[in-house]
Amino acid sequence: MSTESKMDCGRRRLIIATAAVGGAGAVVAMVPFLSSMLPSERAKAAGAPVEVDIGSVGPGQMITVEWRGKPVWVFNRNQEMLDTLPKLDGVLADPKSEVDHQPANCKNETRSIKPNVLVAVGICTHLGCSPSSKFQHGPADGMAADWLGGFLCPCHGSTFDFAGRVFKSMPAPSNLIVPPHTYLTDTRILIGEDKKGA
């Protein structure tokens, strides 16, 4: 092998090694730049949809998840709870949910996509307090004898039925808000996104 050939091989190796090191350095230098363009965890929490597994939420049970810094209830209503809804139309401020505090596919008596599962923002529409559950009938939960169950805002006394509809003459001006949501499967809900036709 000639000396010239040996020099060409040496140069080629040097060029390849230099290019590899330079390329790796460029990738390392770009990582912080590219990651700075991604939304922060705080930004994701502020508006990103939240996926919830409701498979373990039995009839009559409720869980609370956080979406956009707000508590969101996912409430699996049993048949007895659903049966109270039509009985209350005469004592509710907005029984047909005329005020748009729910997606179009939840504008019904149950205010839900599936009749038994209510997804609602757990914040009173009066001054932003968080209502508590009063699921028992009447005095069993410290309520009036004709109470059929629902929610009570302890701050100013607003009451809501099992669909989050406010009773008449209450400080809360409107029903609880139902956020946009969609079912990914029978047991998984995506809160914060409303896929039409889902």
Side-chain angles (χ1 to χ4, degrees):
M1 188 182 267
S2 70
T3 307
E4 194 173 305
S5 245
K6 287 181 185 177
M7 285 179 61
D8 283 345
C9 279
R11 285 184 188 157
R12 189 172 298 129
R13 285 189 198 126
L14 179 63
I15 291 171
I16 290 171
T18 304
V21 169
V27 168
V28 169
M30 288 184 68
V31 167
F33 172 72
L34 293 174
S35 64
S36 72
M37 296 175 79
L38 296 172
S40 67
E41 289 303 314
R42 188 175 185 181
K44 286 182 203 172
V50 175
E51 193 172 322
V52 182
D53 183 356
I54 61 168
S56 61
V57 183
Q61 294 181 336
M62 182 175 81
I63 60 170
T64 303
V65 297
E66 186 177 340
W67 172 66
R68 292 189 173 178
K70 299 174 185 171
V72 175
W73 299 333
V74 180
F75 181 26
N76 186 359
R77 298 169 288 193
N78 61 35
Q79 191 57 50
E80 183 184 359
M81 293 170 172
L82 291 171
D83 290 344
T84 66
L85 299 181
K87 299 175 184 176
L88 297 170
D89 284 1
V91 295
L92 298 172
D94 185 12
K96 302 296 182 204
S97 299
E98 298 299 328
V99 176
D100 282 335
H101 278 330
Q102 62 280 317
N105 59 353
C106 294
K107 194 169 184 175
N108 50 48
E109 185 174 67
T110 61
R111 299 185 77 224
S112 58
I113 296 170
K114 292 185 177 185
N116 61 310
V117 180
L118 173 69
V119 178
V121 176
I123 296 177
C124 181
T125 54
H126 179 222
L127 293 176
C129 302
S130 187
S132 55
S133 57
K134 295 287 184 179
F135 294 168
Q136 301 297 315
H137 289 247
D141 229 351
M143 302 295 284
D146 62 347
W147 178 251
L148 297 178
F151 303 93
L152 166 71
C153 183
C155 300
H156 300 97
S158 294
T159 50
F160 303 86
D161 74 351
F162 285 123
R165 300 177 299 176
V166 69
F167 284 78
K168 288 179 181 175
S169 304
M170 292 290 149
S174 57
N175 297 338
L176 296 178
I177 294 171
V178 174
H181 61 282
T182 190
Y183 282 82
L184 301 175
T185 68
D186 283 342
T187 60
R188 295 196 77 76
I189 298 175
L190 188 65
I191 299 170
E193 199 169 295
D194 184 10
K195 293 181 181 172
K196 304 298 177 203

